[in-house]
Amino acid sequence: MYFAALLARTEDGWEASDTELDDVETLSDLTDLAREASVDEDTVLVYIEQEDAWFGVVRVDGEEDPRIYISDASAAARSSYGEILLTDELLGREPGADDEIAALEELVDLDGTEDGEPDEAKDSADGRAGADDPDPDLDHDPDAVPAGPLGDLGVLADLGLSEKQLLTLRTDALVEIADALGAAEVLETVR
């Protein structure tokens, strides 16, 4: 189960609203949703959590690029809403690289053999596939999502929640974030 909330800063303090993410498919959609809630292009925070597994904070300040923090990237990667936040840029990947590789793999046989030729590693004399390959336990997947926190640790620092405090948040993170922002009372109206 997911919970999502918007916290928008106004002249009078923070305004909170819960939000449905059914129509959100990309980070761009989420950013547009935040900007629509903004008053005078001020700060808007989008908070998303999945039942004690992970939470994410997206900060949108006017027309600037969104700033993202995710408490557990590997847990978020197994979630449709988490995948929205785990952009190529956040993961340190070349944008669109996965799409390009998939397209090339469809066009070209990349196993290193010609059509009709047996793969020597699979047909080795001792029957072990890849006998000359390095230790399979040492294989590293460059597309693997790291476990643990990922993103902008200072996303809330100027609003009263330090990097160290952010890293210690686990359950009820939104309550602690709202307390630090001075928005606990308005949050109660949507929780």
Side-chain angles (χ1 to χ4, degrees), residues 16-17 30 34-35 46 51 59 70-71 78 80 84 87 112 117 129 132 149 154 179:
S17 60
L30 189 61
R35 287 188 177 124
V46 180
E51 288 186 344
R59 178 176 176 164
I70 301 171
S71 66
R78 296 185 297 271
S80 58
I84 292 170
T87 63
E117 247 181 55
D132 295 359
D179 280 343

Side-chain angles (χ1 to χ4, degrees), residues 97-108:
D98 290 341
D99 296 337
E100 291 173 18
I101 291 170
L104 285 174
E105 286 175 345
E106 287 181 21
L107 296 174
V108 180

Side-chain angles (χ1 to χ4, degrees), residues 168-189:
T168 62
L169 297 179
R170 296 289 175 250
T171 58
D172 291 327
L174 181 57
V175 172
E176 293 185 45
I177 291 170
D179 280 343
L181 300 176
E185 288 182 25
V186 295
L187 176 65
E188 286 302 315
T189 63

Side-chain angles (χ1 to χ4, degrees), residues 47-57 69-73 75 147-150 153 161-177 191:
Y47 178 88
I48 303 170
E49 74 177 18
Q50 181 184 5
E51 288 186 344
D52 300 333
W54 66 274
F55 72 89
V57 176
Y69 171 79
I70 301 171
S71 66
D72 187 339
L150 184 67
L153 294 175
L161 194 71
S162 72
E163 292 178 13
K164 183 178 178 181
Q165 290 170 309
L166 185 61
L167 285 171
T168 62
L169 297 179
R170 296 289 175 250
T171 58
D172 291 327
L174 181 57
V175 172
E176 293 185 45
I177 291 170
R191 190 99 173 152

Side-chain angles (χ1 to χ4, degrees), residues 15-79:
E15 290 182 6
S17 60
D18 61 344
T19 187
E20 289 295 322
L21 299 178
D22 295 341
D23 295 332
V24 174
E25 295 179 8
T26 65
L27 180 60
S28 181
D29 293 342
L30 189 61
T31 303
D32 290 344
L33 182 70
R35 287 188 177 124
E36 289 171 11
S38 176
V39 176
D40 297 326
E41 296 188 359
D42 213 339
T43 301
V44 176
L45 301 175
V46 180
Y47 178 88
I48 303 170
E49 74 177 18
Q50 181 184 5
E51 288 186 344
D52 300 333
W54 66 274
F55 72 89
V57 176
V58 178
R59 178 176 176 164
V60 178
D61 293 299
E63 292 300 316
E64 292 180 27
D65 288 340
R67 297 168 58 191
I68 303 167
Y69 171 79
I70 301 171
S71 66
D72 187 339
S74 62
R78 296 185 297 271
S79 153

